[in-house]
């Protein structure tokens, strides 16, 4: 089928809007007409070359849409089903999948991109998803049904940012109820972590960012202490907010070394720091080992909130319905695909939580 896509021809340069062809779904695959795709920092890191990868490529991995057709072996989805589409892909049978670690799946999948450009040349399906397009083909495990009462633009956020942030608190850390919490970095992931901490009845909730506009959103979500790291020392502020002890949990969603260092410095003795943000390859931080062992601290890595589409999407939808998860106010702006480069520039400037691209209808 024909579709419109934002194609990365040269990393570091603007995406080009092109007519493409999207092949039919094969075994265990689904072809989805994408309705909305949010811009995640991972898309930008790839588009700027921060993680390498081949071009031309179509990025985009935080999407929602409608099932257009299904391949052989897909028996639990129907044409017309509304779905969330994301990059988490699990084979169900590898070392990790059989241990309920879908997010770490190392299964083998056919490396057969669904995209061809105007000249019939292949375009890489970036992040295994390629959802900056009005249609894509993904593995069955990369889609999850969404009910009619969840709006499609907000639902797209469930695929990555919300799953990652919420999951880092609920699944990776399995945060104890009533704990004191700091969240460093208040993009879509950080604000989702914040909402999960509220859901787990955090007794003190410290929000750290460098933009007052994002701190204001955090306050509306229930943060008690707002710290602008440009004008205030977050370590001192977090200590002060917790009676000099430091937070029980620190969730670092900003993909930066200073944020990790601040998180470790503010964490209480015996506390848990969760590294959620994904910096570009080659970023390091120094760690005084004796500080961590002597203080009995725990360091956790959270890949995609240790998430699983099959297990976690129903839970997130249940929390949305219960009013515990506000998705709508995380959607800052909706842009047509022709304005995707402007939308990316806004995300890069840090001035928005999530910009969402609305796709034209694929034919
Ligand atoms: Zn993402
Ligand atoms: Zn697997």
């Amino acid at each position: 089928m024909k579709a419109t896509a934002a194609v990365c021809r040269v990393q570091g340069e603007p995406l080009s809007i092109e007519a493409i062809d999207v092949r039919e779904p094969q075994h265990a695959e689904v072809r989805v007409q994408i309705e909305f795709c949010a811009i995640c920092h991972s898309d930008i890191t790839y588009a700027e070359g921060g993680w390498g990868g081949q071009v031309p490529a179509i990025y985009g991995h935080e999407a929602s849409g409608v099932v257009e057709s299904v391949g052989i072996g897909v028996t639990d989805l129907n044409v017309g089903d509304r779905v969330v589409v994301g990059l988490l892909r699990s084979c169900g049978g590898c070392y990790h999948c059989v241990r309920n670690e879908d997010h770490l799946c190392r299964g083998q999948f056919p490396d057969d991109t669904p995209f061809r450009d105007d000249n019939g040349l292949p375009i890489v399906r970036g992040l295994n998803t390629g959802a900056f397009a009005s249609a894509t083909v993904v593995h069955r495990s990369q889609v999850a049904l969404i009910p009619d009462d969840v709006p499609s633009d907000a639902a797209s956020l469930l695929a990555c940012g919300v799953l990652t942030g919420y999951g880092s608190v609920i699944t990776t850390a399995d945060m104890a109820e009533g704990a004191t919490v700091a969240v460093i970095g208040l993009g879509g992931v950080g604000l989702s972590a914040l909402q999960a901490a509220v859901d787990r009845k955090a007794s003190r909730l410290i929000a750290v960012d460098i933009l007052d506009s994002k701190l204001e959103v955090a306050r509306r979500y229930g943060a008690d202490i707002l710290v602008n790291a440009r004008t205030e020392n977050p370590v001192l502020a977090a200590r002060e907010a917790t009676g000099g002890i430091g937070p029980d949990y620190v969730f670092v969603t900003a993909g930066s070394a200073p944020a990790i260092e601040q998180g470790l410095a503010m964490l209480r003795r015996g506390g848990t720091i969760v590294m959620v943000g994904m910096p570009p390859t080659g970023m390091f931080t120094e760690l005084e080992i004796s500080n961590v062992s002597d203080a009995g601290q725990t360091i956790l890595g959270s890949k995609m909130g240790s998430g699983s589409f099959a297990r976690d999407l129903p839970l997130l939808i249940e929390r949305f319905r219960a009013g515990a998860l506000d998705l709508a106010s995380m959607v800052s702006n909706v842009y047509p695909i022709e304005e995707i480069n402007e939308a990316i520039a806004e995300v890069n400037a840090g001035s928005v939580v999530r910009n969402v691209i609305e796709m034209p209808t694929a034919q």
Side-chain angles (χ1 to χ4, degrees), residues 89-98 101-102 104-109:
R89 184 170 66 173
S90 52
C91 70
C94 73
Y95 181 93
H96 297 287
C97 283
V98 299
E101 296 174 350
D102 293 15
L104 300 177
C105 175
R106 280 281 182 264
Q108 297 296 312
F109 298 88

Side-chain angles (χ1 to χ4, degrees), residues 147-352:
D148 287 342
D149 59 333
V150 184
S152 294
D153 54 350
S156 65
L157 308 189
L158 295 172
C160 179
V162 173
L163 181 73
T164 300
Y166 211 88
S168 69
V169 174
I170 302 296
T171 308
T172 311
D174 192 12
M175 177 196 146
E177 281 206 358
T180 57
V181 175
V183 177
I184 303 178
L186 300 172
V189 174
L191 289 171
S192 301
L194 200 93
Q195 294 196 66
V198 171
D199 210 10
R200 283 270 166 114
K201 302 180 173 53
S203 59
R204 213 85 173 112
L205 190 42
I206 301 144
V208 183
D209 201 276
I210 52 174
L211 285 174
D212 287 336
S213 56
K214 289 186 173 175
L215 291 165
E216 179 53 30
V217 180
R219 189 187 60 74
R220 291 206 304 272
Y221 282 156
D224 309 299
I225 310 288
L226 309 178
V227 183
N228 186 325
R230 281 241 166 90
T231 56
E232 202 179 343
N233 182 330
V235 177
L236 296 180
R239 282 277 160 86
E240 192 184 331
T242 51
I245 291 173
D248 298 321
Y249 295 89
V250 178
F251 296 90
V252 184
T253 70
S256 87
I260 294 285
E261 286 155 12
Q262 285 167 356
L264 280 165
M266 71 173 66
L267 185 66
R268 78 157 168 87
R269 291 169 60 77
T272 299
I273 185 169
V274 186
M275 298 184 186
V276 190
M278 298 280 283
T281 307
M283 189 178 283
F284 294 87
T285 184
E286 281 193 4
L287 180 69
E288 185 165 3
I289 299 164
S290 63
N291 275 353
V292 177
S293 48
D294 180 61
Q297 293 169 327
T298 301
I299 300 176
L300 296 174
S302 181
K303 157 106 178 188
M304 299 280 304
S306 309
S308 153
F309 260 34
R311 183 194 64 216
D312 295 335
L313 264 291
L315 169 76
L316 293 174
I317 288 164
E318 185 269 313
R319 298 318 291 152
F320 169 79
R321 283 175 160 163
L325 181 57
D326 176 357
L327 298 173
S329 48
M330 283 198 281
V331 177
S332 303
N333 301 301
V334 178
Y335 285 97
I337 194 169
E338 291 76 16
E339 294 175 27
I340 190 169
N341 291 305
E342 290 80 355
I344 287 173
E346 276 188 9
V347 176
N348 256 342
S351 55
V352 295

